[in-house]
Amino acid sequence: MKHLSKFFSLLALLTLGSARLAAQATDPFPAVDENQYANSMVITGQVRLDGEVLTKADNVIVAVYQGNELRGKDVLLDTGSYTDLFMVMVYGDTNGEPLRFMVFVNGNLYEVDQQLLYTINARIGKASDPYYIDLSSDAVPTSIAITPEQSVDTPVYNVQGYRTLPYAKGIVIRNNRKYLNK
């Protein structure tokens, strides 16, 4: 019975996080295709910038990628004792896949230089001992918006030389296919 109570608490928090994410007006990331995978893992954590924990007021969105595929995303929670935490559900089917993070903070997009390995049904971090994503103000934010001089067919690259997805509303190019980003 104790496990069932924990399950429903986690489910309620995930539902709240998903609802808050849907309401986020400046989400630069595409939708997560959660029906593509039968399995998942949960990462509970906090984002730190120069050692200071970021808050909901910093408009933080955490995205988890496997390669160039978005596997999960969430905003910071602001509910009771779960303030300034993200609880992102990461979808996948193969243990050991490297996961990387991108974090959107106050209009700036950061590629994070830390990785986790995907593990089916894993729970990484918890409210009392969160997983930390560390950002530095010395890092150059990744800018991947399409400017008026560019067309949707213009490849966009980040500061590390990787081709990336534009995050502006409009047309998103992913794997050489165009999608409408609303």
mmCIF file with all atom_site columns, all heavy atoms in Angstrom, residues 108-126:
data_model
loop_
_atom_site.group_PDB
_atom_site.id
_atom_site.type_symbol
_atom_site.label_atom_id
_atom_site.label_alt_id
_atom_site.label_comp_id
_atom_site.label_asym_id
_atom_site.label_entity_id
_atom_site.label_seq_id
_atom_site.pdbx_PDB_ins_code
_atom_site.Cartn_x
_atom_site.Cartn_y
_atom_site.Cartn_z
_atom_site.occupancy
_atom_site.B_iso_or_equiv
_atom_site.pdbx_formal_charge
_atom_site.auth_seq_id
_atom_site.auth_comp_id
_atom_site.auth_asym_id
_atom_site.auth_atom_id
_atom_site.pdbx_PDB_model_num
ATOM 1   N N   . ASN A 1 108 ? 17.404 32.164 -22.986 1.00 0.00 ? 108 ASN A N   1
ATOM 2   C CA  . ASN A 1 108 ? 18.687 31.630 -23.450 1.00 0.00 ? 108 ASN A CA  1
ATOM 3   C C   . ASN A 1 108 ? 18.658 30.110 -23.410 1.00 0.00 ? 108 ASN A C   1
ATOM 4   O O   . ASN A 1 108 ? 18.151 29.513 -22.457 1.00 0.00 ? 108 ASN A O   1
ATOM 5   C CB  . ASN A 1 108 ? 19.840 32.129 -22.572 1.00 0.00 ? 108 ASN A CB  1
ATOM 6   C CG  . ASN A 1 108 ? 20.066 33.607 -22.726 1.00 0.00 ? 108 ASN A CG  1
ATOM 7   O OD1 . ASN A 1 108 ? 20.118 34.135 -23.837 1.00 0.00 ? 108 ASN A OD1 1
ATOM 8   N ND2 . ASN A 1 108 ? 20.180 34.297 -21.608 1.00 0.00 ? 108 ASN A ND2 1
ATOM 9   N N   . LEU A 1 109 ? 19.212 29.492 -24.417 1.00 0.00 ? 109 LEU A N   1
ATOM 10  C CA  . LEU A 1 109 ? 19.246 28.036 -24.513 1.00 0.00 ? 109 LEU A CA  1
ATOM 11  C C   . LEU A 1 109 ? 20.667 27.562 -24.259 1.00 0.00 ? 109 LEU A C   1
ATOM 12  O O   . LEU A 1 109 ? 21.610 28.023 -24.906 1.00 0.00 ? 109 LEU A O   1
ATOM 13  C CB  . LEU A 1 109 ? 18.778 27.597 -25.902 1.00 0.00 ? 109 LEU A CB  1
ATOM 14  C CG  . LEU A 1 109 ? 18.576 26.119 -26.111 1.00 0.00 ? 109 LEU A CG  1
ATOM 15  C CD1 . LEU A 1 109 ? 17.457 25.595 -25.218 1.00 0.00 ? 109 LEU A CD1 1
ATOM 16  C CD2 . LEU A 1 109 ? 18.231 25.845 -27.566 1.00 0.00 ? 109 LEU A CD2 1
ATOM 17  N N   . TYR A 1 110 ? 20.837 26.659 -23.294 1.00 0.00 ? 110 TYR A N   1
ATOM 18  C CA  . TYR A 1 110 ? 22.148 26.135 -22.932 1.00 0.00 ? 110 TYR A CA  1
ATOM 19  C C   . TYR A 1 110 ? 22.227 24.649 -23.246 1.00 0.00 ? 110 TYR A C   1
ATOM 20  O O   . TYR A 1 110 ? 21.330 23.887 -22.873 1.00 0.00 ? 110 TYR A O   1
ATOM 21  C CB  . TYR A 1 110 ? 22.417 26.308 -21.426 1.00 0.00 ? 110 TYR A CB  1
ATOM 22  C CG  . TYR A 1 110 ? 22.530 27.740 -20.986 1.00 0.00 ? 110 TYR A CG  1
ATOM 23  C CD1 . TYR A 1 110 ? 21.409 28.457 -20.608 1.00 0.00 ? 110 TYR A CD1 1
ATOM 24  C CD2 . TYR A 1 110 ? 23.765 28.361 -20.939 1.00 0.00 ? 110 TYR A CD2 1
ATOM 25  C CE1 . TYR A 1 110 ? 21.504 29.772 -20.192 1.00 0.00 ? 110 TYR A CE1 1
ATOM 26  C CE2 . TYR A 1 110 ? 23.873 29.682 -20.521 1.00 0.00 ? 110 TYR A CE2 1
ATOM 27  C CZ  . TYR A 1 110 ? 22.740 30.376 -20.157 1.00 0.00 ? 110 TYR A CZ  1
ATOM 28  O OH  . TYR A 1 110 ? 22.845 31.676 -19.739 1.00 0.00 ? 110 TYR A OH  1
ATOM 29  N N   . GLU A 1 111 ? 23.292 24.230 -23.918 1.00 0.00 ? 111 GLU A N   1
ATOM 30  C CA  . GLU A 1 111 ? 23.588 22.808 -24.044 1.00 0.00 ? 111 GLU A CA  1
ATOM 31  C C   . GLU A 1 111 ? 24.449 22.454 -22.846 1.00 0.00 ? 111 GLU A C   1
ATOM 32  O O   . GLU A 1 111 ? 25.455 23.112 -22.581 1.00 0.00 ? 111 GLU A O   1
ATOM 33  C CB  . GLU A 1 111 ? 24.331 22.516 -25.342 1.00 0.00 ? 111 GLU A CB  1
ATOM 34  C CG  . GLU A 1 111 ? 23.441 22.644 -26.535 1.00 0.00 ? 111 GLU A CG  1
ATOM 35  C CD  . GLU A 1 111 ? 24.046 22.005 -27.771 1.00 0.00 ? 111 GLU A CD  1
ATOM 36  O OE1 . GLU A 1 111 ? 24.749 21.003 -27.649 1.00 0.00 ? 111 GLU A OE1 1
ATOM 37  O OE2 . GLU A 1 111 ? 23.787 22.528 -28.847 1.00 0.00 ? 111 GLU A OE2 1
ATOM 38  N N   . VAL A 1 112 ? 24.050 21.452 -22.116 1.00 0.00 ? 112 VAL A N   1
ATOM 39  C CA  . VAL A 1 112 ? 24.709 21.103 -20.862 1.00 0.00 ? 112 VAL A CA  1
ATOM 40  C C   . VAL A 1 112 ? 25.764 20.038 -21.116 1.00 0.00 ? 112 VAL A C   1
ATOM 41  O O   . VAL A 1 112 ? 25.517 19.052 -21.809 1.00 0.00 ? 112 VAL A O   1
ATOM 42  C CB  . VAL A 1 112 ? 23.667 20.601 -19.833 1.00 0.00 ? 112 VAL A CB  1
ATOM 43  C CG1 . VAL A 1 112 ? 24.329 20.253 -18.519 1.00 0.00 ? 112 VAL A CG1 1
ATOM 44  C CG2 . VAL A 1 112 ? 22.586 21.656 -19.635 1.00 0.00 ? 112 VAL A CG2 1
ATOM 45  N N   . ASP A 1 113 ? 26.944 20.244 -20.527 1.00 0.00 ? 113 ASP A N   1
ATOM 46  C CA  . ASP A 1 113 ? 28.051 19.317 -20.718 1.00 0.00 ? 113 ASP A CA  1
ATOM 47  C C   . ASP A 1 113 ? 28.056 18.246 -19.622 1.00 0.00 ? 113 ASP A C   1
ATOM 48  O O   . ASP A 1 113 ? 29.012 18.109 -18.871 1.00 0.00 ? 113 ASP A O   1
ATOM 49  C CB  . ASP A 1 113 ? 29.372 20.085 -20.722 1.00 0.00 ? 113 ASP A CB  1
ATOM 50  C CG  . ASP A 1 113 ? 30.545 19.220 -21.153 1.00 0.00 ? 113 ASP A CG  1
ATOM 51  O OD1 . ASP A 1 113 ? 30.314 18.240 -21.884 1.00 0.00 ? 113 ASP A OD1 1
ATOM 52  O OD2 . ASP A 1 113 ? 31.685 19.506 -20.748 1.00 0.00 ? 113 ASP A OD2 1
ATOM 53  N N   . GLN A 1 114 ? 26.946 17.542 -19.491 1.00 0.00 ? 114 GLN A N   1
ATOM 54  C CA  . GLN A 1 114 ? 26.869 16.385 -18.599 1.00 0.00 ? 114 GLN A CA  1
ATOM 55  C C   . GLN A 1 114 ? 25.836 15.438 -19.178 1.00 0.00 ? 114 GLN A C   1
ATOM 56  O O   . GLN A 1 114 ? 24.896 15.857 -19.832 1.00 0.00 ? 114 GLN A O   1
ATOM 57  C CB  . GLN A 1 114 ? 26.535 16.788 -17.157 1.00 0.00 ? 114 GLN A CB  1
ATOM 58  C CG  . GLN A 1 114 ? 25.184 17.435 -16.950 1.00 0.00 ? 114 GLN A CG  1
ATOM 59  C CD  . GLN A 1 114 ? 25.047 18.018 -15.554 1.00 0.00 ? 114 GLN A CD  1
ATOM 60  O OE1 . GLN A 1 114 ? 25.568 19.085 -15.273 1.00 0.00 ? 114 GLN A OE1 1
ATOM 61  N NE2 . GLN A 1 114 ? 24.324 17.339 -14.692 1.00 0.00 ? 114 GLN A NE2 1
ATOM 62  N N   . GLN A 1 115 ? 26.065 14.149 -18.981 1.00 0.00 ? 115 GLN A N   1
ATOM 63  C CA  . GLN A 1 115 ? 25.192 13.139 -19.556 1.00 0.00 ? 115 GLN A CA  1
ATOM 64  C C   . GLN A 1 115 ? 24.792 12.113 -18.509 1.00 0.00 ? 115 GLN A C   1
ATOM 65  O O   . GLN A 1 115 ? 25.469 11.940 -17.499 1.00 0.00 ? 115 GLN A O   1
ATOM 66  C CB  . GLN A 1 115 ? 25.887 12.394 -20.705 1.00 0.00 ? 115 GLN A CB  1
ATOM 67  C CG  . GLN A 1 115 ? 26.123 13.224 -21.929 1.00 0.00 ? 115 GLN A CG  1
ATOM 68  C CD  . GLN A 1 115 ? 26.655 12.379 -23.081 1.00 0.00 ? 115 GLN A CD  1
ATOM 69  O OE1 . GLN A 1 115 ? 27.010 11.224 -22.921 1.00 0.00 ? 115 GLN A OE1 1
ATOM 70  N NE2 . GLN A 1 115 ? 26.715 12.982 -24.255 1.00 0.00 ? 115 GLN A NE2 1
ATOM 71  N N   . LEU A 1 116 ? 23.675 11.445 -18.795 1.00 0.00 ? 116 LEU A N   1
ATOM 72  C CA  . LEU A 1 116 ? 23.221 10.277 -18.039 1.00 0.00 ? 116 LEU A CA  1
ATOM 73  C C   . LEU A 1 116 ? 23.011 9.152  -19.029 1.00 0.00 ? 116 LEU A C   1
ATOM 74  O O   . LEU A 1 116 ? 22.830 9.402  -20.223 1.00 0.00 ? 116 LEU A O   1
ATOM 75  C CB  . LEU A 1 116 ? 21.870 10.555 -17.374 1.00 0.00 ? 116 LEU A CB  1
ATOM 76  C CG  . LEU A 1 116 ? 21.818 11.330 -16.086 1.00 0.00 ? 116 LEU A CG  1
ATOM 77  C CD1 . LEU A 1 116 ? 20.365 11.553 -15.675 1.00 0.00 ? 116 LEU A CD1 1
ATOM 78  C CD2 . LEU A 1 116 ? 22.545 10.607 -14.982 1.00 0.00 ? 116 LEU A CD2 1
ATOM 79  N N   . LEU A 1 117 ? 22.986 7.939  -18.547 1.00 0.00 ? 117 LEU A N   1
ATOM 80  C CA  . LEU A 1 117 ? 22.628 6.803  -19.392 1.00 0.00 ? 117 LEU A CA  1
ATOM 81  C C   . LEU A 1 117 ? 21.181 6.430  -19.102 1.00 0.00 ? 117 LEU A C   1
ATOM 82  O O   . LEU A 1 117 ? 20.760 6.368  -17.945 1.00 0.00 ? 117 LEU A O   1
ATOM 83  C CB  . LEU A 1 117 ? 23.547 5.607  -19.130 1.00 0.00 ? 117 LEU A CB  1
ATOM 84  C CG  . LEU A 1 117 ? 25.013 5.815  -19.506 1.00 0.00 ? 117 LEU A CG  1
ATOM 85  C CD1 . LEU A 1 117 ? 25.816 4.560  -19.174 1.00 0.00 ? 117 LEU A CD1 1
ATOM 86  C CD2 . LEU A 1 117 ? 25.172 6.187  -20.964 1.00 0.00 ? 117 LEU A CD2 1
ATOM 87  N N   . TYR A 1 118 ? 20.427 6.183  -20.176 1.00 0.00 ? 118 TYR A N   1
ATOM 88  C CA  . TYR A 1 118 ? 19.027 5.799  -20.018 1.00 0.00 ? 118 TYR A CA  1
ATOM 89  C C   . TYR A 1 118 ? 18.944 4.419  -19.375 1.00 0.00 ? 118 TYR A C   1
ATOM 90  O O   . TYR A 1 118 ? 19.656 3.493  -19.759 1.00 0.00 ? 118 TYR A O   1
ATOM 91  C CB  . TYR A 1 118 ? 18.317 5.775  -21.376 1.00 0.00 ? 118 TYR A CB  1
ATOM 92  C CG  . TYR A 1 118 ? 16.878 5.359  -21.250 1.00 0.00 ? 118 TYR A CG  1
ATOM 93  C CD1 . TYR A 1 118 ? 15.909 6.274  -20.861 1.00 0.00 ? 118 TYR A CD1 1
ATOM 94  C CD2 . TYR A 1 118 ? 16.485 4.045  -21.473 1.00 0.00 ? 118 TYR A CD2 1
ATOM 95  C CE1 . TYR A 1 118 ? 14.589 5.894  -20.708 1.00 0.00 ? 118 TYR A CE1 1
ATOM 96  C CE2 . TYR A 1 118 ? 15.174 3.657  -21.335 1.00 0.00 ? 118 TYR A CE2 1
ATOM 97  C CZ  . TYR A 1 118 ? 14.230 4.581  -20.946 1.00 0.00 ? 118 TYR A CZ  1
ATOM 98  O OH  . TYR A 1 118 ? 12.927 4.199  -20.790 1.00 0.00 ? 118 TYR A OH  1
ATOM 99  N N   . THR A 1 119 ? 18.066 4.281  -18.382 1.00 0.00 ? 119 THR A N   1
ATOM 100 C CA  . THR A 1 119 ? 17.816 3.007  -17.711 1.00 0.00 ? 119 THR A CA  1
ATOM 101 C C   . THR A 1 119 ? 16.313 2.852  -17.534 1.00 0.00 ? 119 THR A C   1
ATOM 102 O O   . THR A 1 119 ? 15.670 3.701  -16.902 1.00 0.00 ? 119 THR A O   1
ATOM 103 C CB  . THR A 1 119 ? 18.502 2.959  -16.327 1.00 0.00 ? 119 THR A CB  1
ATOM 104 O OG1 . THR A 1 119 ? 19.896 3.251  -16.498 1.00 0.00 ? 119 THR A OG1 1
ATOM 105 C CG2 . THR A 1 119 ? 18.340 1.597  -15.690 1.00 0.00 ? 119 THR A CG2 1
ATOM 106 N N   . ILE A 1 120 ? 15.775 1.798  -18.091 1.00 0.00 ? 120 ILE A N   1
ATOM 107 C CA  . ILE A 1 120 ? 14.340 1.555  -18.025 1.00 0.00 ? 120 ILE A CA  1
ATOM 108 C C   . ILE A 1 120 ? 13.872 1.523  -16.569 1.00 0.00 ? 120 ILE A C   1
ATOM 109 O O   . ILE A 1 120 ? 14.483 0.862  -15.720 1.00 0.00 ? 120 ILE A O   1
ATOM 110 C CB  . ILE A 1 120 ? 13.972 0.233  -18.741 1.00 0.00 ? 120 ILE A CB  1
ATOM 111 C CG1 . ILE A 1 120 ? 14.263 0.370  -20.244 1.00 0.00 ? 120 ILE A CG1 1
ATOM 112 C CG2 . ILE A 1 120 ? 12.517 -0.147 -18.512 1.00 0.00 ? 120 ILE A CG2 1
ATOM 113 C CD1 . ILE A 1 120 ? 14.154 -0.936 -21.024 1.00 0.00 ? 120 ILE A CD1 1
ATOM 114 N N   . ASN A 1 121 ? 12.800 2.253  -16.269 1.00 0.00 ? 121 ASN A N   1
ATOM 115 C CA  . ASN A 1 121 ? 12.158 2.329  -14.952 1.00 0.00 ? 121 ASN A CA  1
ATOM 116 C C   . ASN A 1 121 ? 13.018 2.943  -13.853 1.00 0.00 ? 121 ASN A C   1
ATOM 117 O O   . ASN A 1 121 ? 12.685 2.821  -12.672 1.00 0.00 ? 121 ASN A O   1
ATOM 118 C CB  . ASN A 1 121 ? 11.650 0.954  -14.498 1.00 0.00 ? 121 ASN A CB  1
ATOM 119 C CG  . ASN A 1 121 ? 10.593 0.408  -15.426 1.00 0.00 ? 121 ASN A CG  1
ATOM 120 O OD1 . ASN A 1 121 ? 9.803  1.159  -15.987 1.00 0.00 ? 121 ASN A OD1 1
ATOM 121 N ND2 . ASN A 1 121 ? 10.592 -0.894 -15.613 1.00 0.00 ? 121 ASN A ND2 1
ATOM 122 N N   . ALA A 1 122 ? 14.091 3.614  -14.211 1.00 0.00 ? 122 ALA A N   1
ATOM 123 C CA  . ALA A 1 122 ? 14.962 4.228  -13.198 1.00 0.00 ? 122 ALA A CA  1
ATOM 124 C C   . ALA A 1 122 ? 14.323 5.492  -12.636 1.00 0.00 ? 122 ALA A C   1
ATOM 125 O O   . ALA A 1 122 ? 13.514 6.138  -13.289 1.00 0.00 ? 122 ALA A O   1
ATOM 126 C CB  . ALA A 1 122 ? 16.317 4.559  -13.806 1.00 0.00 ? 122 ALA A CB  1
ATOM 127 N N   . ARG A 1 123 ? 14.699 5.807  -11.405 1.00 0.00 ? 123 ARG A N   1
ATOM 128 C CA  . ARG A 1 123 ? 14.330 7.074  -10.765 1.00 0.00 ? 123 ARG A CA  1
ATOM 129 C C   . ARG A 1 123 ? 15.633 7.733  -10.349 1.00 0.00 ? 123 ARG A C   1
ATOM 130 O O   . ARG A 1 123 ? 16.283 7.290  -9.406  1.00 0.00 ? 123 ARG A O   1
ATOM 131 C CB  . ARG A 1 123 ? 13.432 6.835  -9.558  1.00 0.00 ? 123 ARG A CB  1
ATOM 132 C CG  . ARG A 1 123 ? 12.047 6.335  -9.952  1.00 0.00 ? 123 ARG A CG  1
ATOM 133 C CD  . ARG A 1 123 ? 11.174 6.138  -8.761  1.00 0.00 ? 123 ARG A CD  1
ATOM 134 N NE  . ARG A 1 123 ? 11.011 7.419  -8.056  1.00 0.00 ? 123 ARG A NE  1
ATOM 135 C CZ  . ARG A 1 123 ? 10.350 7.535  -6.934  1.00 0.00 ? 123 ARG A CZ  1
ATOM 136 N NH1 . ARG A 1 123 ? 9.801  6.479  -6.359  1.00 0.00 ? 123 ARG A NH1 1
ATOM 137 N NH2 . ARG A 1 123 ? 10.232 8.711  -6.350  1.00 0.00 ? 123 ARG A NH2 1
ATOM 138 N N   . ILE A 1 124 ? 16.010 8.784  -11.065 1.00 0.00 ? 124 ILE A N   1
ATOM 139 C CA  . ILE A 1 124 ? 17.252 9.496  -10.788 1.00 0.00 ? 124 ILE A CA  1
ATOM 140 C C   . ILE A 1 124 ? 16.901 10.739 -9.978  1.00 0.00 ? 124 ILE A C   1
ATOM 141 O O   . ILE A 1 124 ? 16.093 11.562 -10.410 1.00 0.00 ? 124 ILE A O   1
ATOM 142 C CB  . ILE A 1 124 ? 17.969 9.911  -12.097 1.00 0.00 ? 124 ILE A CB  1
ATOM 143 C CG1 . ILE A 1 124 ? 18.159 8.729  -13.046 1.00 0.00 ? 124 ILE A CG1 1
ATOM 144 C CG2 . ILE A 1 124 ? 19.276 10.638 -11.807 1.00 0.00 ? 124 ILE A CG2 1
ATOM 145 C CD1 . ILE A 1 124 ? 19.052 7.641  -12.536 1.00 0.00 ? 124 ILE A CD1 1
ATOM 146 N N   . GLY A 1 125 ? 17.481 10.874 -8.804  1.00 0.00 ? 125 GLY A N   1
ATOM 147 C CA  . GLY A 1 125 ? 17.208 12.009 -7.944  1.00 0.00 ? 125 GLY A CA  1
ATOM 148 C C   . GLY A 1 125 ? 15.863 11.882 -7.252  1.00 0.00 ? 125 GLY A C   1
ATOM 149 O O   . GLY A 1 125 ? 15.028 11.057 -7.606  1.00 0.00 ? 125 GLY A O   1
ATOM 150 N N   . LYS A 1 126 ? 15.683 12.692 -6.223  1.00 0.00 ? 126 LYS A N   1
ATOM 151 C CA  . LYS A 1 126 ? 14.414 12.783 -5.503  1.00 0.00 ? 126 LYS A CA  1
ATOM 152 C C   . LYS A 1 126 ? 14.358 14.158 -4.861  1.00 0.00 ? 126 LYS A C   1
ATOM 153 O O   . LYS A 1 126 ? 15.353 14.890 -4.855  1.00 0.00 ? 126 LYS A O   1
ATOM 154 C CB  . LYS A 1 126 ? 14.272 11.664 -4.482  1.00 0.00 ? 126 LYS A CB  1
ATOM 155 C CG  . LYS A 1 126 ? 15.407 11.550 -3.491  1.00 0.00 ? 126 LYS A CG  1
ATOM 156 C CD  . LYS A 1 126 ? 15.265 10.322 -2.617  1.00 0.00 ? 126 LYS A CD  1
ATOM 157 C CE  . LYS A 1 126 ? 16.485 10.186 -1.719  1.00 0.00 ? 126 LYS A CE  1
ATOM 158 N NZ  . LYS A 1 126 ? 16.412 8.999  -0.895  1.00 0.00 ? 126 LYS A NZ  1
#
